[in-house]
Amino acid sequence: MIIMTYYMDVYGCQMNVHDSEIIAGILEADGFTNVDNPGSADVILLVSCAVREHAETRVLGRASQLGGLWQNRKQGEPLIVLCGCVAQEHGQDLLDRFQNLDLVVGPDCYRDLPLLIRNSTRQALVEFRKGDYTGIDPLRKRFPGAFVTIMRGCNNFCSYCIVPYVRGRERSRSGDSIIKEIRDLSEKGYREITLLGQNVNSYRELDTSFPELLDMASDAAGSAWIRFVTSHPRDFNRETVEVMVSKDNICNHLHLPVQSGSDGILQRMNRGYTIADYREKIRMLRDSIPEIVLTTDIITGFPGESLDDFQRTVSLLDEIRYDNAFLFKYSERTGTSAYDLADVIPEHVRLERLNYLQEFQRGITLEKSGELRNRILNVLVTGSAKKPDQQAARTRGNRMVILQGTDYEPGTFVDVRITRADGWTHFGEPVGVEDI
Ligand code: SF4
């Protein structure tokens, strides 16, 4: 077999990051080796994200730039392969527009990559397939953290979202294969296992629901922490909270995207819950887990968002007091139902509202992070930090902590005293190592 080298660039969400680990696993099982420089690769893969227009523009810009580097391709110059959601969305169209793209491969077709690359016939392969990537050994790059996909696709059709069109309908993985993967990861020393899916709460395989899977995952993980993303406010339920309460290794963090504080806008977004429903779930969660760290996503300037709707979002932030929030201005995506909605909000208004909300939330985040000063928290050392004399770590609540010194191996649990915070990043000094 001829050894080929590959280089990969990854864009977008955790699902894409993990897909890139799956792609690497598929390629390396077939004799490919990874290189750090696109110039010395036989094949360059771009794993693309279509969720926001900006991300799509970036990856297409990169494809075009790489195409320019190897214009009028000569023998021995790299193949360029576009994978991921943009590939699925545009398929053959991309081959017509970008003459230097060789292959366009959707998220369900990665098993075919070695053959497609070795054949090097210019084509788009973007079928939706039923299977998943069970049996593939992903090449994980985040030790001591590991992603485990529990489901692929989504059935929700939120009106602004392209995911159901590019990742297909929801498919849950077999519980047995998930639990086996978690057990293996724990035995290999992974200490933070994140269950991944577009809407993990609607996981169902035969009779196994998400809370039941979470319970089994916690047992299989041993001393490793368990996280899960992304939760949907309509499907997140009491049973899940009960499992979180009953298991020590399930992290006290919930990312629960609310998207807007206005019922009218939530309806236009097709989110399937009201603010009263959402508020009730937060109350139930905080009653059961007072130390829960709560984060969310919000979109500003969705079509039809009046000043009153926007003020409702500000009031919701003020009321819930999230520990952190990921805020975005609305970005039109062709092919989604929101694309055709009337009452488009001008770009400058979307941006003004975004800026206002960012400033507002920044104050809350700072205040809540500041409350941790002098508290002792257990953190997981994850690796090096930007400065060579520091290390990065995460709390159970998924807060980033910078530790002075380089004393600990990644994967060590350490008790630290928080000395200060800068937004979502905290600084701490170690006070002891936890035995596991
Ligand atoms: S739940 Fe909504 S926002 Fe999330 S992936 Fe599915 S359609 Fe998109």
Side-chain angles (χ1 to χ4, degrees):
M1 186 190 301
I2 301 169
I3 304 286
M4 294 183 81
T5 54
Y6 73 95
Y7 169 89
M8 190 155 39
D9 267 350
V10 188
Y11 300 79
C13 66
Q14 289 156 316
M15 191 66 98
N16 250 12
V17 171
H18 188 44
D19 272 4
S20 74
E21 296 173 337
I22 289 172
I23 292 172
I26 291 171
L27 292 178
E28 300 212 4
D30 206 86
F32 287 71
T33 54
N34 184 226
V35 289
D36 291 338
N37 175 3
S40 54
D42 296 316
V43 52
I44 297 172
L45 300 109
L46 305 176
V47 186
S48 63
C49 169
V51 167
R52 278 169 226 294
E53 198 162 346
H54 175 66
E56 183 168 321
T57 310
R58 261 180 74 209
V59 75
L60 293 179
R62 179 74 169 142
S64 171
Q65 181 208 21
L66 291 169
L69 281 180
W70 287 288
Q71 225 162 14
N72 307 319
R73 196 95 42 95
K74 293 192 251 353
Q75 183 85 31
E77 291 186 339
L79 291 185
I80 303 175
V81 183
L82 188 75
C83 303
C85 297
V86 176
Q88 186 70 41
E89 188 185 4
H90 298 293
Q92 177 65 38
D93 214 38
L94 291 169
L95 292 181
D96 299 341
R97 280 168 57 201
F98 296 92
Q99 288 311 311
N100 283 295
L101 266 186
D102 296 287
L103 285 166
V104 171
V105 182
D108 285 356
C109 303
Y110 297 150
R111 283 180 192 269
D112 291 9
L113 273 168
L115 194 63
L116 292 167
I117 292 168
R118 289 188 193 282
N119 287 346
S120 68
T121 311
R122 201 161 182 260
Q123 65 172 298
L125 186 65
V126 291
E127 300 163 4
F128 285 117
R129 293 179 179 171
K130 282 210 170 105
D132 53 38
Y133 291 105
T134 296
I136 302 291
D137 199 8
L139 217 86
R140 294 188 158 88
K141 304 218 173 82
R142 299 176 53 255
F143 184 87
F147 293 131
V148 173
T149 305
I150 64 166
M151 61 199 299
R152 297 179 75 84
C154 183
N155 291 346
N156 285 325
F157 292 93
C158 299
S159 64
Y160 52 83
C161 183
I162 195 83
V163 166
Y165 305 96
V166 292
R167 293 226 165 225
R169 297 299 93 80
E170 191 176 289
R171 290 94 74 200
S172 294
R173 240 183 102 185
S174 102
D176 288 350
S177 71
I178 295 169
I179 297 307
K180 179 176 177 309
E181 189 172 338
I182 293 172
R183 201 170 284 128
D184 287 350
L185 289 167
S186 171
E187 282 166 10
K188 286 178 183 156
Y190 284 88
R191 288 291 167 261
E192 182 192 51
I193 294 169
T194 304
L195 310 183
L196 278 187
Q198 308 292 352
N199 175 10
V200 289
N201 310 113
S202 67
Y203 173 90
R204 179 159 285 278
E205 198 254 344
L206 302 175
D207 287 338
T208 308
S209 65
F210 179 67
E212 289 162 336
L213 179 77
L214 186 61
D215 193 47
M216 291 189 291
S218 156
D219 291 343
S223 61
W225 289 352
I226 290 280
R227 302 188 188 280
F228 54 90
V229 279
T230 298
S231 290
H232 192 295
R234 186 198 53 215
D235 301 319
F236 181 76
N237 59 16
R238 178 175 294 281
E239 289 73 26
T240 302
V241 176
E242 284 167 4
V243 177
M244 291 172 78
V245 170
S246 70
K247 300 287 180 158
D248 276 352
N249 64 344
I250 300 180
C251 290
N252 61 337
H253 169 228
L254 183 72
H255 183 67
L256 199 62
V258 66
Q259 306 299 6
S260 170
S262 154
D263 284 342
I265 295 298
L266 289 178
Q267 202 172 13
R268 284 170 80 91
M269 289 177 166
N270 193 30
R271 290 289 288 170
Y273 53 87
T274 64
I275 290 301
D277 301 334
Y278 187 91
R279 201 179 264 134
E280 177 53 26
K281 293 200 177 179
I282 299 295
R283 191 196 57 72
M284 178 255 299
L285 178 68
R286 282 185 164 155
D287 281 354
S288 305
I289 312 174
E291 294 258 296
I292 191 82
V293 174
L294 201 57
T295 56
T296 198
D297 293 335
I298 288 180
I299 297 171
T300 65
F302 187 78
E305 184 190 72
S306 65
L307 191 55
D308 179 61
D309 291 320
F310 176 65
Q311 277 163 350
R312 285 174 194 270
T313 302
V314 178
S315 301
L316 189 78
L317 287 193
D318 198 25
E319 174 193 330
I320 304 261
R321 304 189 74 69
Y322 294 100
D323 295 273
N324 201 8
F326 301 89
L327 311 169
F328 307 91
K329 66 182 166 63
Y330 174 65
S331 149
E332 287 92 352
R333 302 300 296 118
T334 30
T336 61
S337 58
Y339 190 77
D340 297 321
L341 287 176
D343 305 323
V344 170
I345 304 298
E347 182 67 21
H348 74 274
V349 177
R350 298 180 207 179
L351 190 60
E352 270 166 30
R353 290 179 184 175
L354 175 67
N355 290 341
Y356 183 88
L357 222 51
Q358 280 173 333
E359 203 44 42
F360 191 81
Q361 177 60 39
R362 195 176 131 71
I364 298 172
T365 299
L366 275 175
E367 193 183 309
K368 296 202 74 170
S369 298
E371 286 166 8
L372 295 178
R373 196 156 165 261
N374 282 327
R375 288 268 311 275
I376 292 178
L377 298 180
N378 188 236
V379 301
L380 174 67
V381 178
T382 52
S384 46
K386 278 190 192 141
K387 293 190 182 165
D389 59 343
Q390 293 180 334
Q391 286 189 294
R394 292 238 164 226
T395 67
R396 284 172 176 263
N398 209 25
R399 296 170 185 274
M400 156 106 66
V401 179
I402 303 295
L403 304 179
Q404 199 56 43
T406 56
D407 300 336
Y408 303 102
E409 288 295 321
T412 311
F413 292 111
V414 184
D415 286 336
V416 300
R417 184 189 311 281
I418 301 297
T419 51
R420 68 186 173 91
D422 180 8
W424 192 234
T425 304
H426 305 68
F427 296 83
E429 52 189 28
V431 295
V433 175
E434 186 186 289
D435 289 333
I436 55 167

